[in-house]
Amino acid sequence: MPDQKPAVLFVCVHNAGRSQMAAGWLRHLAGDRVDVFSAGSEPADRINAIAVQAMAEEGIDIAGEQPAVLTTDAVRQADVVVTMGCGDACPVFPGKRYEDWALTDPAGLPIEQVRPVRDEVRARVEGLLADLV
């Protein structure tokens, strides 16, 4: 039986900044070795333009992504659920691997303050990826 690809779900409240950057990094770094999803407990209308700009500086295009609502099915399908400040809004299922990343919310911040968040997200995604594959 072939090994199944691990599935990772990134969750933050608005699914417009941190979780979208994390998903963008993991897709970029893992290619097709990992299934990547992101969602929010209270999704925004659109992705954070400064997050898009910060990722574009690294050659990663997340401009076409849309904030999505978090569902229990999404959590059920994921092997790893990474939360970023969504608190009690994230459903918890036994047997899942959960990580909570304390990251600055880039909402409303200028690009100079979003770049360090982007870089911290990359470092954490690299660590996660090393664990998974």
Side-chain angles (χ1 to χ4, degrees), residues 24-39:
W25 274 122
L26 188 54
R27 286 186 190 104
H28 176 76
L29 296 168
D32 62 1
R33 295 179 294 165
V34 178
D35 287 329
V36 181
F37 306 96
S38 71

Side-chain angles (χ1 to χ4, degrees), residues 26-92:
L26 188 54
R27 286 186 190 104
H28 176 76
L29 296 168
D32 62 1
R33 295 179 294 165
V34 178
D35 287 329
V36 181
F37 306 96
S38 71
S41 53
E42 298 173 26
D45 294 333
R46 66 183 65 86
I47 194 165
N48 179 328
I50 303 299
V52 170
Q53 180 184 343
M55 293 298 285
E57 291 177 354
E58 296 294 316
I60 300 171
D61 182 7
I62 61 170
E65 300 299 325
Q66 280 296 312
V69 69
L70 176 65
T71 64
T72 53
D73 280 347
V75 176
R76 200 173 283 124
Q77 292 171 1
D79 297 300
V80 180
V81 179
V82 178
T83 58
M84 304 170 191
C86 68
D88 296 338
C90 298
V92 174

Side-chain angles (χ1 to χ4, degrees), residues 3 12-13 17 39 41 49-50 80 99 107 119 126 128:
D3 289 344
C12 66
V13 176
S41 53
I50 303 299
V80 180
E99 292 190 16
D119 297 343
E126 287 173 339
L128 176 64

